[in-house]
C-alpha cells in the first residue's frame, strides 16, 4: 500500500497507526504536517517520509467573524494541496489517505488524488444544543455563538462529503455527526498500551517546590487535564477540595495540567482559571497539600496515576480524554462526571463512580467515601483495568481494527476483492 497521513500536529491520533503501517516493507508511508510540528515526529519511524508546510496565514481582520475559521481552514487546505501536488509530480499516488478534517487539511485532497480512498478521523461535530454548547450556565453562550458554530462545521462537512469512510473514537462522538454520514463512520478508539499503562509501585515521587516526596500507600487524590479549565470541570473540582481537605487531613492532591485554554473561552481578565479559583477559595485551599504539577513527562504522569487513591475526571459533553482510559488501565478508583461521553465508558458500581458535574458537594462526598473505603473499591479498580484491556487494548484490539480498516479501503481503491 501507499498511505498518506495528513495532520497539522502529526502524528496526533496516528501515533500508533502510522508506524504500524510503515513497519511493513510492502507499504510506503508519507505524512504531511505543519513544519514546526512535523520536525518533532522525526523519530517516530524510519520508514515514514515526513513533509512539512509553513504555517499558513490566518484570516484577514476584516473577514466576518463567523468565517474567520473557514478562511484559515481554506488557507491551510491550500498549503497541504501544494505539498500534495509536488508529491504527485514525484510519482507518489496513495491508495488511502488518513486525515483529520478539523483544520481544513482534508478540503482539497480528493482534488489531487481523486481515486484515493479518504479516511477521516472524526473527533467532534459541533452542535448548538445537546453537547458542550450551553451546557454550563456559569459560562453562558449567546445566539450569536450558536450561529457561528453552524458555520464552524462547514469545513468538516465539505471534507465529509468527499470522504469514503470515517472513524470516531467513541459511539457518542460518532453520533454527534449528521445521521446521513453514520453508515460511513466506524467506532474504533485510538487504544491504550495496557502493558505499559498499568498499576505498579511508586517510590519517592518528588513534589514540586521541595515539598517532599510521595510513595505508594500515601493518600493521594489526582486530577488530570491538558489544561485546567471549565470544559474539564476544573471549577467543580476546585470547589470540592475544601470539604475533602477538611475531612481527610492526610490527603495530598496532585493536579496535572497547564494554565492555557484548550477549549472554551479565556477569562476576560486574562488570568488563568487556576489563579481565578485559587483567588475565589483563598484560605480554604491548603497549599501545602494541593500540588499543581503542570504538564508532566509521560512516565511521571503514569506515576501520578499509580499513586492515585481517588482519581477525578470531569468533562462537558465533549471529546473524551485519553487520560480517563489511562487512569482506568492503571486501576485507579475513578470518580467521573455523569455526562454522556463518560457514561459510555464508566459504569457506576462496576468500574467507577459517577457524580453530578455541577455539584462540588456530591463530588466531595464521593471522594471522601472512596478514600475512607478502599476495600470496597478494589473490585471496581480491577474491573476498570479489565474493561480497558478487553475492549481498548492497543495491540490486541484497536490497532488491528484500524489496520484492517485501512487495508480494506486500500483493496477497494486498487479494485481487489475485499
Amino acid at each position: 500500500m501507499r498511505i498518506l497521513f495528513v495532520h497539522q500536529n502529526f502524528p496526533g491520533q496516528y501515533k500508533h497507526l502510522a508506524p504500524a503501517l510503515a513497519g511493513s516493507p510492502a507499504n510506503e508511508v508519507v505524512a504531511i504536517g505543519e513544519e514546526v510540528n512535523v520536525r518533532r515526529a522525526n523519530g517516530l519511524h524510519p520508514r515514514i517520509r515526513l513533509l512539512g508546510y509553513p504555517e499558513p496565514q490566518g484570516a484577514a481582520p476584516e473577514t466576518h467573524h463567523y468565517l474567520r475559521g473557514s478562511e484559515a481552514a481554506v488557507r491551510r487546505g491550500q498549503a497541504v494541496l501544494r505539498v500534495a501536488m509536488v508529491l504527485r509530480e514525484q510519482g507518489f499516488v496513495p491508495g488511502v489517505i488518513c486525515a483529520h478534517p478539523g483544520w481544513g487539511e482534508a478540503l482539497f485532497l480528493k482534488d489531487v488524488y481523486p481515486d484515493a480512498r479518504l479516511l477521516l478521523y472524526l473527533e467532534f461535530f459541533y452542535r448548538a444544543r445537546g453537547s458542550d454548547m450551553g451546557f454550563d450556565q456559569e459560562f453562558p453562550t449567546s445566539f450569536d455563538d450558536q450561529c457561528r458554530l453552524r458555520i464552524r462545521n462547514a469545513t468538516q462537512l465539505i471534507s465529509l462529503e468527499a470522504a469514503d469512510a470515517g472513524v470516531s473514537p467513541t459511539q457518542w462522538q460518532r453520533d454527534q455527526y449528521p445521521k446521513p454520514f453514520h453508515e460511513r463512520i466506524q467506532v474504533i478508539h485510538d487504544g491504550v498500551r495496557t502493558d505499559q499503562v498499568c498499576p505498579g509501585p511508586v517510590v519517592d515521587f518528588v513534589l514540586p517546590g521541595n515539598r517532599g516526596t510521595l510513595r505508594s500507600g500515601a493518600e493521594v487524590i489526582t486530577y488530570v487535564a491538558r489544561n485546567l479549565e471549565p470544559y474539564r470541570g476544573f471549577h467543580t473540582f476546585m470547589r470540592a477540595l475544601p470539604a475533602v481537605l477538611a475531612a481527610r487531613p492526610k490527603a495530598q492532591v496532585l493536579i496535572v495540567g497547564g494554565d492555557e485554554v484548550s477549549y472554551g473561552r479565556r477569562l476576560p481578565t486574562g488570568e488563568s482559571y487556576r489563579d481565578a479559583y485559587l483567588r475565589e477559595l483563598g484560605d480554604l485551599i491548603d497549599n501545602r497539600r494541593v500540588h499543581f504539577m503542570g504538564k508532566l513527562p509521560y512516565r511521571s504522569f503514569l506515576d501520578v496515576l499509580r499513586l492515585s487513591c481517588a482519581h477525578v475526571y470531569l468533562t462537558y459533553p465533549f471529546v473524551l480524554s485519553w487520560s480517563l482510559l489511562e487512569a482506568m488501565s492503571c486501576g485507579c478508583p475513578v470518580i467521573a462526571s455523569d455526562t454522556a461521553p463518560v457514561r459510555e465508558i464508566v459504569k457506576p458500581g462496576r468500574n467507577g463512580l459517577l457524580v453530578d458535574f455541577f455539584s462540588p458537594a456530591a463530588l466531595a462526598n464521593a471522594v471522601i467515601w472512596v478514600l475512607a473505603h478502599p476495600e470496597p473499591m478494589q473490585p471496581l479498580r480491577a474491573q476498570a483495568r479489565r474493561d480497558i484491556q478487553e475492549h481498548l487494548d492497543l495491540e490486541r484490539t484497536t490497532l488491528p481494527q484500524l489496520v484492517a480498516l485501512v487495508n480494506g479501503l486500500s483493496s477497494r481503491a486498487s479494485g481487489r476483492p475485499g
Side-chain angles (χ1 to χ4, degrees):
M1 291 187 293
R2 283 181 163 181
I3 309 108
L4 175 63
F5 287 93
V6 183
H7 193 300
Q8 57 95 16
N9 192 28
F10 184 83
Q13 288 86 359
Y14 303 123
K15 179 180 179 181
H16 304 300
L17 178 60
L21 292 168
S24 170
N27 294 340
E28 184 179 358
V29 177
V30 176
I32 299 174
E34 191 175 323
E35 280 176 350
V36 67
N37 298 322
V38 85
R39 292 192 201 105
R40 295 195 291 263
N42 273 325
L44 187 64
H45 195 282
R47 297 189 68 251
I48 299 176
R49 182 183 174 193
L50 299 171
L51 300 173
Y53 60 84
E55 181 182 2
Q57 179 183 340
E62 62 270 17
T63 299
H64 191 288
H65 67 281
Y66 289 3
L67 293 171
R68 285 174 190 160
S70 300
E71 182 177 340
V74 168
R75 293 182 185 277
R76 189 174 291 272
Q78 286 182 321
V80 171
L81 173 66
R82 295 184 189 103
V83 178
M85 290 177 71
V86 171
L87 267 177
R88 187 180 63 184
E89 290 168 4
Q90 294 172 348
F92 180 84
V93 178
V96 178
I97 303 171
C98 300
H100 192 307
W103 301 277
E105 292 172 303
L107 283 171
F108 310 116
L109 291 171
K110 275 284 198 172
D111 297 288
V112 188
Y113 300 118
D115 296 325
R117 300 295 180 177
L118 178 58
L119 172 63
L120 297 181
Y121 186 92
L122 299 172
E123 190 170 15
F124 194 68
F125 190 84
Y126 294 91
R127 293 193 172 275
R129 297 176 180 83
S131 59
D132 60 323
M133 180 66 71
F135 174 73
D136 190 343
Q137 293 305 307
E138 186 172 340
F139 304 94
T141 55
S142 67
F143 186 70
D144 189 61
D145 291 327
Q146 296 180 26
C147 296
R148 177 181 49 80
L149 207 63
R150 185 175 293 280
I151 303 303
R152 186 173 183 178
N153 280 322
T155 298
Q156 285 201 80
L157 288 170
I158 293 168
S159 301
L160 261 170
E161 189 278 329
D164 298 280
V167 61
S168 286
T170 68
Q171 188 73 37
W172 182 83
Q173 285 168 259
R174 188 211 75 156
D175 289 349
Q176 300 312 294
Y177 284 85
K179 286 184 179 180
F181 294 107
H182 284 186
E183 289 185 359
R184 296 192 213 173
I185 306 172
Q186 291 196 35
V187 177
I188 307 174
H189 196 272
D190 311 328
V192 179
R193 288 190 179 275
T194 62
D195 58 332
Q196 298 177 12
V197 185
C198 59
V202 178
V203 179
D204 294 335
F205 181 86
V206 179
L207 294 169
N210 297 316
R211 294 182 183 178
T213 61
L214 295 174
R215 61 177 56 201
S216 296
E219 188 169 283
V220 176
I221 302 160
T222 55
Y223 171 93
V224 174
R226 180 186 301 174
N227 284 300
L228 309 178
E229 56 186 317
Y231 257 70
R232 298 309 191 193
F234 180 63
H235 52 332
T236 301
F237 176 73
M238 288 294 288
R239 290 164 180 166
L241 280 183
V244 174
L245 294 169
R248 307 298 300 181
K250 294 183 179 180
Q252 299 285 329
V253 183
L254 303 184
I255 301 173
V256 177
D259 285 328
E260 295 83 29
V261 175
S262 298
Y263 318 109
R265 291 191 178 94
R266 298 180 183 276
L267 288 169
T269 59
E271 67 180 334
S272 69
Y273 283 102
R274 172 172 62 148
D275 288 341
Y277 294 116
L278 284 174
R279 178 169 47 78
E280 175 187 314
L281 296 165
D283 293 340
L284 296 175
I285 297 295
D286 184 350
N287 291 321
R288 296 167 300 175
R289 294 196 286 142
V290 177
H291 310 283
F292 289 91
M293 311 300 297
K295 295 181 178 180
L296 293 175
Y298 194 65
R299 287 185 180 180
S300 299
F301 160 70
L302 291 181
D303 280 343
V304 167
L305 295 182
R306 289 168 179 147
L307 283 168
S308 184
C309 301
H311 180 75
V312 175
Y313 176 74
L314 308 172
T315 184
Y316 283 15
F318 193 60
V319 173
L320 195 71
S321 305
W322 288 343
S323 66
L324 169 64
L325 309 178
E326 291 165 322
M328 294 174 70
S329 186
C330 282
C332 293
V334 169
I335 303 151
S337 58
D338 189 8
T339 45
V342 179
R343 286 195 292 269
E344 190 169 329
I345 303 295
V346 178
K347 308 299 180 184
R350 171 186 168 87
N351 58 18
L353 304 177
L354 295 179
V355 296
D356 183 352
F357 177 93
F358 297 107
S359 176
L363 176 59
N365 290 338
V367 171
I368 292 166
W369 190 92
V370 166
L371 294 176
H373 300 87
E375 289 305 316
M377 288 301 298
Q378 288 302 323
L380 278 69
R381 299 176 69 162
Q383 188 62 51
R385 175 159 172 78
R386 283 196 296 269
D387 285 344
I388 301 301
Q389 287 178 305
E390 181 177 349
H391 301 294
L392 296 175
D393 180 81
L394 176 77
E395 299 294 341
R396 294 192 298 270
T397 305
T398 62
L399 186 56
Q401 290 174 345
L402 289 167
V403 170
L405 175 58
V406 174
N407 284 337
L409 288 170
S410 177
S411 298
R412 288 163 54 193
S414 63
R416 300 193 307 271

